[in-house]
Amino acid sequence: MANQFNYPVWNLIRLERDSEIPLYEQIFARFQTGITEGVIPRGTRLPPSRTLAKELALARNTVVQAYDRLEAEGYVRRAHGSGTFVDRVLPEDHQTRARPAPPAPPPGKTALSERATRLLAFHLPPERSETLGLSPGVPALDEFPYDIFSRIAARHWRSRAISQTGYGVGHPRAGLTHQIAAYLAEARGLACAPEQVIVIGSTLQAAALVAHVLLDAGDVVAVEDPGHLTELATFELSGVRIHPVPIDEMGLDAAALPTQADGGTLPKLVVVSPVEQFPYGSSMPSARRQALLAWAQAHGGWVLEDDFNSEIRWLGQAQPPLFATDTQERVIYTSSFNRALAPGLRLAYLVVPPGLVEAFTQAQRVFSLYAPQPDQALVAAFMAEGHLAAHLRRMRAIYRERSLLLADGLQQRIGDRFVIPYVTAGLHMTVRPRISFDDVAAATALLHRGFDCPALSRYCRGPARQGLILGFGNTLTEKLPACVEAVAEAIDAACDGA
């Protein structure tokens, strides 16, 4: 199909080669203006990237990156074997058809609370998707033990246990708390009584309970930077102040935390993920763990240990949790069954020091932060019959294979320009550039191709760090070579336009 106007499309492209604006951004902007103003009609076929690159005396990847962005933002569509065409429905069409804005509230009244307004401005990342390739933090859902759970569920409902359909006050909850306490003692070296285990729906509920019980408005919470944004939002909505602490390849360094000598306000709580931290991927060595505990003990601070990756370790000796080595009862421990089994179970738990049990259980009751009783019963039976340990042993071998295949492929394709980590635990790895790199552009291009590889810079509160976060847990082994190629192509295009 020929262009629907009487001069070549590249006549619209006027490049300022001395400008600080990348060339692919200039190409994108010229096309976007021409399309929205109708100069380039809808349905028009754009020239092949190779042809346009030749006419503009540019590298082809520069044009490809501009086309990728036009496609990602909805201005063009690609038809395999036919070319790239201006879409007949543009993003601006959706804007004009959008509902009218609601009427402004009367003077002196506010439609939303200040907390809600802050939440909307937080720019939280989208939920992870099990349907997209390389989505970080998602376990191998095809390997979930459906048959075993089906048998346990059938047996459970045949028992007609009335306690499992009530409020679950008192004894009926003991099944899962006893199993978790026994599991932590055996697998993690963490000794606790079942009464110290508080079963909830997510680790974000754990953060909310910690904020309600231990923090007041205006208190300071030290967090890892880059860090888990939804967790940070949970604390910010509680009225506390966030103090980002930059992390490195060995995780959070207690030496970077404020002290009395600094003259500032001391953090009342430090939130830390010691094993394969998300999103950076670092793990804390023993010396840093002990330094953090010493800081908490010296300054009367609390530590929230988010230990979401320790169960999935296939190499090396796992270090005991901070909770297990804390002699002054300053650590609150949290983990979940999201990665060990499936996120859809919505089952997590806290382990709190004995002196905090009453306060946390009362707060749990007031805010109704519970997990469904039947689901607790199913997982308790699954653990009691030894299935969890067997499932984890099998999954560690699968995750090890997938992580190595992904890392080896990336090392061959982009190892000269990126640091490729060989992780030993968890479900994600973060590749970081040695060169100039636009991680947002690469992540956007990958998302349009069906890959959920978030940009590391989106998780930074301080100076942005560049990188891509890649998950391997829920990506089939046979699909990983194609995933490597897609990531490499997106990185090539982003580096070319940076």
Side-chain angles (χ1 to χ4, degrees):
M1 179 184 296
N3 290 329
Q4 297 176 16
F5 44 92
N6 57 12
Y7 55 90
V9 70
W10 48 79
N11 286 352
L12 295 173
I13 310 299
R14 296 288 184 268
L15 298 178
E16 299 177 13
R17 299 178 186 266
D18 296 331
S19 171
E20 295 181 357
I21 300 174
L23 293 175
Y24 82 92
E25 288 278 6
Q26 295 185 43
I27 297 172
F28 165 80
R30 303 299 188 272
F31 272 124
Q32 181 190 40
T33 300
I35 292 169
T36 56
E37 292 182 353
V39 177
I40 305 177
R42 304 178 191 220
T44 298
R45 180 185 178 186
L46 299 187
S49 57
R50 196 181 306 277
T51 302
L52 183 57
K54 181 179 179 181
E55 291 295 333
L56 298 177
L58 295 173
R60 179 171 175 248
N61 278 343
T62 302
V63 177
V64 169
Q65 192 168 6
Y67 279 14
D68 283 344
R69 183 169 174 191
L70 285 165
E71 186 179 20
E73 297 198 14
Y75 290 101
V76 303
R77 57 179 175 81
R78 283 173 171 147
H80 183 68
S82 299
T84 301
F85 297 85
V86 177
D87 209 324
R88 296 191 181 277
V89 179
L90 302 180
E92 287 72 14
D93 297 338
H94 298 295
Q95 295 173 11
T96 58
R97 297 172 187 168
R99 295 180 183 177
K109 293 186 178 181
T110 303
L112 296 175
S113 69
E114 180 184 349
R115 291 191 302 275
T117 303
R118 283 162 46 198
L119 174 63
L120 293 177
F122 208 87
H123 302 301
L124 294 177
E127 292 278 2
R128 302 273 69 87
S129 172
E130 66 274 8
T131 63
L132 297 176
L134 300 178
S135 189
V138 182
L141 300 181
D142 60 307
E143 299 288 345
F144 183 80
Y146 293 100
D147 291 342
I148 297 174
F149 261 80
S150 296
R151 291 197 300 270
I152 294 174
R155 187 176 69 235
H156 168 78
W157 289 115
R158 282 197 305 267
S159 70
R160 297 177 180 272
I162 294 177
S163 61
Q164 295 300 320
T165 53
Y167 283 104
V169 177
H171 180 71
R173 266 203 316 273
L176 186 54
T177 59
H178 274 78
Q179 291 302 323
I180 291 173
Y183 170 78
L184 290 174
E186 180 179 354
R188 302 291 293 122
L190 188 159
C192 65
E195 293 75 21
Q196 293 174 251
V197 180
I198 299 173
V199 179
I200 48 181
S202 69
T203 52
L204 295 181
Q205 290 186 9
L209 277 174
V210 168
H212 288 309
V213 174
L214 298 179
L215 303 173
D216 294 308
D219 284 342
V220 175
V221 175
V223 299
E224 298 162 318
D225 186 27
H228 199 300
L229 292 185
T230 48
E231 194 171 59
L232 303 190
T234 300
F235 284 111
E236 283 205 350
L237 289 181
S238 298
V240 302
R241 291 180 288 159
I242 299 298
H243 178 82
V245 179
I247 61 173
D248 56 23
E249 284 72 14
M250 294 188 291
L252 186 141
D253 186 358
L257 293 171
T259 64
Q260 296 284 8
D262 298 332
T265 304
L266 284 174
K268 196 171 182 180
L269 174 75
V270 180
V271 184
V272 65
S273 300
V275 179
E276 291 297 334
Q277 186 263 358
F278 184 87
Y280 200 67
S282 52
S283 294
M284 295 176 65
S286 178
R288 286 204 176 179
R289 292 168 180 247
Q290 294 307 311
L292 177 58
L293 290 178
W295 180 92
Q297 293 164 7
H299 301 288
W302 298 99
V303 175
L304 175 59
E305 178 181 14
D306 191 351
D307 191 30
F308 55 83
N309 270 332
S310 289
E311 283 93 350
I312 307 172
R313 171 176 292 280
W314 54 85
L315 185 66
Q317 183 65 36
Q319 295 196 54
L322 293 169
F323 190 100
T325 57
D326 173 28
T327 60
Q328 302 297 314
E329 298 186 350
R330 308 304 302 176
V331 177
I332 297 93
Y333 179 92
T334 186
S335 189
S336 77
F337 294 96
N338 284 0
R339 290 165 175 79
L341 286 173
L345 291 172
R346 298 292 182 183
L347 278 176
Y349 55 91
L350 280 163
V351 183
V352 302
L356 296 177
V357 170
E358 182 178 5
F360 269 89
T361 53
Q362 290 286 11
Q364 180 187 33
R365 178 183 177 187
V366 168
F367 294 100
S368 193
L369 298 178
Y370 294 111
Q373 292 298 314
D375 293 345
Q376 292 191 45
L378 297 186
V379 173
F382 186 80
M383 297 175 73
E385 296 171 16
H387 299 303
L388 178 62
H391 178 71
L392 286 173
R393 284 194 298 271
R394 187 170 66 89
M395 296 313 300
R396 288 175 187 128
I398 291 174
Y399 294 141
R400 176 182 182 273
E401 179 185 20
R402 293 180 180 182
S403 72
L404 285 174
L405 185 58
L406 180 59
D408 285 344
L410 292 171
Q411 185 64 45
Q412 292 177 11
R413 286 290 277 109
I414 60 171
D416 58 329
R417 293 166 292 163
F418 279 71
V419 177
I420 310 298
Y422 280 80
V423 299
T424 59
L427 297 175
H428 81 281
M429 64 178 66
T430 299
V431 298
R432 301 189 296 274
R434 298 188 178 98
I435 58 175
S436 178
F437 175 61
D438 185 344
D439 62 353
V440 174
T444 300
L446 282 166
L447 184 61
H448 191 76
R449 296 181 61 176
F451 296 96
D452 177 21
C453 306
L456 178 63
S457 62
R458 294 297 199 196
Y459 293 83
C460 297
R461 296 297 292 263
R465 307 191 208 184
Q466 302 291 310
L468 288 177
I469 309 162
L470 312 177
F472 48 82
N474 195 41
T475 302
L476 296 177
T477 304
E478 57 267 26
K479 292 185 177 181
L480 282 169
C483 294
V484 168
E485 192 60 30
V487 170
E489 290 174 359
I491 282 175
D492 288 342
C495 290
D496 182 70

